Amino acid sequence: GDRIFFGSRFLSVRSTPGHTKGCTSYVADDESFVLTGDTLLIGGCGRTDFQGGSASTLFDSVQSQLFSLPPTTIVYPAHDYKGRTSSTIEKELDSNPRLGKGKTKKEFIEIMSNLNLAYPKKIDVAVPANMRCGVP
C-alpha cells in the first residue's frame, strides 16, 4: 500500500470504507498508533447512512484493517463527543458496544440499522463535495 513519509518515519495508508466509501486510516510504521478518522471512534464508529456508507463494509474494514493491529496500538479517532482523545485496539475489542465484544457482522448491521440518528443538514451537499476535495 501507499506510505506517507516524514523524516525517518512513515504512515501506511489503509482503505477503511464504510462510514463513507472514501474513508482511510493511517498506521504508524511501528504500529504503535493508528489514525482512524470516523471509521473507528472511541466506543463507537462512524454512522453508515451517508452516501456510499455501508454497515457491512465498515464491519469488514474494522475487522481486517484495524482489529488486526496489535492490541497495544493506540487509536486516535477524528473526534470524540465526550472529549476523549485516544483508546487502544485492545480496549475497542473488549468494550466497543458496536464492534467489540465479539460482535458478528449480522449483529453490527442490526445495531447500525437501528441507531435512528437525525439526518444532518446539508449532508447531501457536504459528502459529495468532500469526495471531490471541494472541487465543483
Side-chain angles (χ1 to χ4, degrees):
D2 289 341
R3 292 179 174 178
I4 300 170
F5 289 89
F6 55 101
S8 62
R9 308 278 315 265
F10 65 86
L11 297 173
S12 295
V13 180
R14 294 190 181 192
S15 177
T16 51
H19 171 59
T20 65
K21 61 183 173 182
C23 286
T24 305
S25 296
Y26 303 91
V27 180
D29 52 358
D30 60 359
E31 297 186 335
S32 61
F33 69 88
V34 58
L35 309 173
T36 60
D38 284 346
T39 299
L40 180 62
L41 303 175
I42 299 170
C45 62
R47 58 194 293 168
T48 57
D49 59 340
F50 294 157
Q51 304 98 324
S54 164
S56 177
T57 301
L58 181 62
F59 184 87
D60 292 342
S61 291
V62 170
Q63 295 299 319
S64 68
Q65 298 297 322
L66 301 176
F67 283 177
S68 60
L69 292 166
T72 56
T73 301
I74 300 169
V75 174
Y76 293 107
H79 59 88
D80 182 78
Y81 296 113
K82 296 180 181 177
R84 300 168 294 187
T85 57
S86 67
S87 183
T88 64
I89 293 297
E90 181 175 43
K91 286 178 189 173
E92 295 309 312
L93 279 165
D94 290 344
S95 63
N96 189 303
R98 294 183 188 171
L99 288 155
K101 302 180 181 181
K103 289 282 187 298
T104 65
K105 183 189 268 192
K106 182 179 177 183
E107 290 171 320
F108 176 70
I109 291 170
E110 181 71 19
I111 289 168
M112 298 307 287
S113 296
N114 291 301
L115 289 179
N116 300 318
L117 299 171
Y119 202 68
K121 295 177 183 174
K122 299 194 178 193
I123 196 66
D124 293 324
V125 175
V127 171
N130 285 345
M131 295 299 292
R132 295 187 312 275
C133 297
V135 178

